[in-house]
Amino acid sequence: MTNEEFQSLVLRQLQSLTESVKSLNGSVKSLEEGQKQLTNTVQSLEQGQQELKTSVQKIESKVDRLELRLENEAFYKIGALFDGFSLRGDQIENLKKHIDERFDSIETDTRYLVARVARLEKLAK
C-alpha cells in the first residue's frame, strides 16, 4: 500500500467517523429534547397534583363546615321536631281521655233519662 492509498484510507475512515459523530450528536440532541419534554411533563404533573391537593383541601374544609352546621342546626331542629311530636301525642292522648270521660258521663245521663222516660210512661198508662 502506497502512502497515497494509506492517506486516502485514513481520510475515508475519518469521514466515516465524522459522519458517525454527527449522527451521534443528532441522537444526543434528540435525547436531550426528549428529556426536556419529559421534564416539562413531570413539572406539569407536579403542578396538577398540587392543584388537586389544594382542591381536596378546600373540599375537606367545606365538608367539615357542613358537618358542624349539621351538628349545630339540623340535629337540634330534628330534636325539637321530635319533642313537638311527642308533646302533640301526649295532648292527643289527654284529649282522648277527656272525650272518653265525657262520653261515659253522657252515656250515664242518657241511661238515666231513658229509664226515667220509661218509668214515666209506665206511670202514665
Side-chain angles (χ1 to χ4, degrees):
M1 177 182 297
T2 66
N3 197 16
E4 288 178 16
E5 290 174 335
F6 179 73
Q7 286 178 350
S8 175
L9 180 66
V10 169
L11 283 175
R12 277 185 280 164
Q13 290 295 326
L14 282 174
Q15 283 178 339
S16 174
L17 284 173
T18 303
E19 288 176 12
S20 295
V21 168
K22 285 180 183 179
S23 175
L24 284 174
N25 282 339
S27 296
V28 167
K29 284 182 184 180
S30 177
L31 285 173
E32 286 174 347
E33 287 179 21
Q35 187 176 2
K36 284 180 185 178
Q37 289 176 351
L38 283 174
T39 301
N40 290 338
T41 302
V42 167
Q43 288 174 346
S44 293
L45 287 173
E46 287 174 347
Q47 185 178 8
Q49 186 179 12
Q50 186 61 37
E51 290 173 3
L52 283 174
K53 283 181 182 179
T54 303
S55 296
V56 167
Q57 287 173 345
K58 286 179 183 178
I59 290 171
E60 287 175 347
S61 172
K62 287 180 181 182
V63 166
D64 290 342
R65 282 187 287 167
L66 183 60
E67 286 176 354
L68 284 173
R69 187 172 179 190
L70 276 173
E71 288 175 7
N72 292 332
E73 293 179 18
F75 293 146
Y76 292 121
K77 289 179 181 179
I78 290 170
L81 287 172
F82 180 75
D83 292 343
F85 178 76
S86 296
L87 179 64
R88 189 56 71 184
D90 292 343
Q91 290 174 340
I92 290 171
E93 187 64 34
N94 290 337
L95 184 60
K96 182 182 177 284
K97 286 179 185 176
H98 178 71
I99 289 173
D100 286 345
E101 288 172 2
R102 294 283 294 167
F103 279 143
D104 288 344
S105 174
I106 291 171
E107 184 180 10
T108 302
D109 291 346
T110 304
R111 272 195 228 133
Y112 171 76
L113 290 173
V114 167
R116 181 87 180 187
V117 167
R119 205 174 327 134
L120 286 175
E121 284 180 353
K122 216 182 208 185
L123 289 176
K125 285 186 186 179

